Amino acid sequence: MRKKNALTSIFVLGISSIITQSIIIREAISTFYGNEFFIGIILAAWLGWIAFGSGFFKKYLNKSKQDLYSLVKIHFWIGWLFLLEIFLIRIVKLYLGLAGEIPNLIHSFVFAFIIPAPLCITLGLWWTIASKIISKLFNQNKIKEINKAYFLEIIGFIIGGFLFSFWFIRFNEFFVALILLVINLSMILLLVHKKPPYFLIKIFTSILIIILIFLSFSPYLKQLNTATQSLRFKNQELLATSNSYYGNIAVTKIDSQHNFYLNNKLIYSDKEALFYESFIHLSLLHHSSPKKILLIGNNLSQALEETLKHNPDQVYYVEPDKQKLNIFKKYISKQARQALKNDKVKIINKDAFYFLNKTNEQFDFIIINIPNPSTAHTNRFYTQEFIQITHKKLANSGIIATHMSSSLSSMTGNLANLNASLYKTLKQVFPRVSVLADESNLFLGHKNPYTGISSKILSSRISQRNINTKFINKDYIKYRMTNPRSVKMIELFDENKQAATNKMFKPIAYFYQNLFWLDHFYLNFSKLLKTLSSYFWEIFAMLLLTISLYLSKSKQQLLKKLPIISIIIGGFCLMALEIITIFTYQSIIGHIYLRISLLISVFFIGMALGIFYGQSKKDFNDLIKMHLILIIFPIILIGILPLLINISHVLSEIIILIILLMTGFIGAAIFPISNNIFLLSQTNLDNKTGTIYSADLIGSMLGCLLPSLILIPIFGIINSLAFISIINLWFILILSIRKPGP
């Protein structure tokens, strides 16, 4: 085999990894309710299974003398396994329940972790075989060539990221899978010889490539995509489905009812008249004359119609996703389409956070119709920072209205904490907050502290405005306004000492919502998770102490383990800082899908530069310097990130891109330095190339899980950054005490 072909295989590995990962994550968002919890699980499972493939099976690969044949088989199977993954992640929804329903969290966790296994184990084997071939082909400077291979993999990540974000994202997933299969089959043609039996392999592969290219442009491919997408919507007719920058859009039909979904989450149906009449009218009737109204969230259906019944001068409707709007328009009611065409309605295709920061308009009423904070993206609309912005954009007598899931029987545990968190967040900003209790609690933040509102006043206003409704009448208004549960609810919120204010960099409502989700299926497990989170720092301190005592037993053994520990910590910090930065971007700028290609590419460019820098470093002192930077860098971010909320979005984006570039550089530079130190102490490099790769992936896997599931939701971004600094401080202390002398 030619040396350049072996290195090209590693480059194709990078392309294949990032494209398959991007699509599997996107599919997971659609199947698993759009929660970032599952993004963290998929990423962790992805890295963990790759580590398993490259580490566990390396002893069997070392015995094999047919490395080229093994690599050819991997290039052949990788595309087919990717097709299998797409089928599996769509079929699994049949087991998890009906579309729109909250899936069983533990079952979802298991499926999300297991489904990537075949593909990722193969990717791990791919790296191990290719790096073994490279170490054999290059008799001199083996370490340099292995680092070069890692560098080429990162370049593949960058190019694959751009291909997916700017080209592949426009096509359905099966088209992308076939193109990726063609790329890998073409790689086989480069790897194999012209002599028998490889000559027959070349002929077979060439014919297969021609067939796959033909199938890629066949209309049957679109039909296959629609058929498998419909598996997510059991007992429903799938009318339309499409991918936008914001996720998977779908419209279904049950009898005469149309349902509208984003990432398999039911946004609304056209049979929700009671909810929208209650929410919109009970809100707007609290204002004496709501002439300028701002609608944020899913207001395309009856919400906009009901709002226009109050005869406002102008309604601003913020909907950033034009594609979703265009698809849904075809299936909403005639009245809803007429409402969109009303001269009083102004559609704003911008992120609500961005629009409110930039607009000079003052509104009489702001309605936030956003689902519960089950994702980091929806949580941002329930934070103190966002509520403060709405307060600034309200006129003197302005009111803000939103809602949260509740219970008519009892309000305890995580559901109580979730509602209390929203109440306390509103209380931090508005002088008066009122709550109307029901299955969905209505929260009103009043800029005017005056409290003289009654059911009679609201009833008179509905008559004065000549509002025709099907369900809302004077008796209903009296019931909601005089319900003693509302008074009791506020007392419970005020007495709740456990619930905290929901903030941009400490999204505690996001954590309460996920625990409430878990309560539906495993109440005891939810309680255990909550208890463990309360003692997280104590558990973390005991873990560091235990590891320190273990490492202090033998200096000789410690010196062999230090590079591996360094790589694990470096991988953890690399992914943790990336997740923290991306979460910050999503919280401040808007939905991550709009800029994901740019963010990923800049991150991998930083990684490529870091690997290039670290290739020539072989000393423990160089390792200490990098971990010292990983102490200082998070501390600097603690001071910088909160400032991004109050500056322009353009400047914020530039700063976040610089942070991602530096994150990639610092985290990735540790790999070649530790790699050089580790491999220089080994006698048989062929048996060790998978070890360091596995260590890096294990650290990266932990870096995906801990920040996503525990650190950010419970302790916030600031404490998460402090956590990274503490880990590196501990390692430097160990390294400084135990590193070899000159």
Side-chain angles (χ1 to χ4, degrees), residues 86-319:
I86 297 173
F87 276 109
L88 287 176
I89 206 164
R90 292 182 179 181
I91 290 173
V92 76
K93 190 65 183 72
L94 293 174
Y95 177 80
L96 291 175
L98 298 176
E101 291 182 351
I102 298 177
N104 185 300
L105 193 59
I106 301 300
H107 293 173
S108 300
F109 175 90
V110 172
F111 283 124
F113 194 85
I114 292 177
I115 285 175
L119 178 64
C120 296
I121 288 173
T122 306
L123 291 171
L125 289 171
W126 186 347
W127 165 265
T128 302
I129 294 171
S131 60
K132 179 183 175 184
I133 292 172
I134 290 170
S135 66
K136 287 182 177 179
L137 290 174
F138 294 91
N139 295 321
Q140 297 178 348
N141 296 324
K142 290 186 176 183
I143 296 176
K144 180 179 179 181
E145 295 303 327
I146 291 173
N147 285 333
K148 183 178 179 181
Y150 191 79
F151 179 80
L152 281 172
E153 185 189 21
I154 298 299
I155 297 299
F157 283 150
I158 296 171
I159 293 177
F162 274 108
L163 284 173
F164 173 76
S165 301
F166 293 107
W167 187 52
F168 287 147
I169 199 171
R170 295 179 295 173
F171 302 99
N172 75 61
E173 290 75 15
F174 289 105
F175 174 83
V176 178
L178 290 183
I179 295 300
L180 195 64
L181 185 53
V182 168
I183 292 173
N184 279 277
L185 291 175
S186 301
M187 189 67 219
I188 293 176
L189 299 179
L190 293 176
L191 291 173
V192 300
H193 304 291
K194 295 181 180 179
K195 299 178 181 179
Y198 293 114
F199 178 69
L200 295 177
I201 294 176
K202 278 204 167 188
I203 293 177
F204 172 76
T205 303
S206 299
I207 294 173
L208 190 56
I209 288 173
I210 294 172
I211 294 173
L212 291 173
I213 291 175
F214 174 77
L215 289 176
S216 298
F217 297 96
S218 168
Y220 295 109
L221 201 64
K222 185 176 181 180
Q223 295 176 17
L224 176 64
N225 183 59
T226 303
T228 54
Q229 287 278 21
S230 65
L231 294 174
R232 293 193 173 114
F233 306 97
K234 188 178 179 180
N235 301 327
Q236 300 184 45
E237 180 187 355
L238 181 61
L239 300 178
T241 180
S242 180
N243 287 329
S244 76
Y245 288 110
Y246 293 82
N248 180 259
I249 303 164
V251 182
T252 68
K253 185 178 181 182
I254 304 177
D255 297 328
S256 62
Q257 175 178 311
H258 289 85
N259 302 311
F260 303 86
Y261 295 90
L262 180 64
N263 293 329
N264 204 48
K265 183 186 294 185
L266 182 64
I267 299 177
Y268 56 82
S269 74
D270 54 11
K271 304 295 182 181
E272 295 180 331
L274 175 59
F275 171 78
Y276 282 111
E277 281 194 7
S278 174
F279 176 52
I280 297 298
H281 295 308
L282 284 178
S283 297
L284 291 176
L285 288 172
H286 274 78
H287 196 285
S288 59
S289 180
K291 292 302 181 182
K292 186 176 290 186
I293 302 170
L294 174 64
L295 297 179
I296 298 172
N298 305 311
N299 299 287
L300 185 60
S301 62
Q302 195 170 341
L304 185 58
E305 298 174 50
E306 301 301 324
T307 299
L308 288 170
K309 290 180 181 180
H310 289 261
N311 194 30
D313 292 337
Q314 196 160 36
V315 178
Y316 287 73
Y317 174 29
V318 177
E319 174 50 69

Side-chain angles (χ1 to χ4, degrees), residues 33 38 81 89 161 257 450 472 483 520 681 711 715:
Y33 212 57
F38 293 103
L81 287 172
I89 206 164
Q257 175 178 311
Y450 172 67
I472 308 303
N483 188 346
H520 284 275
S681 65
L711 291 176
F715 305 108

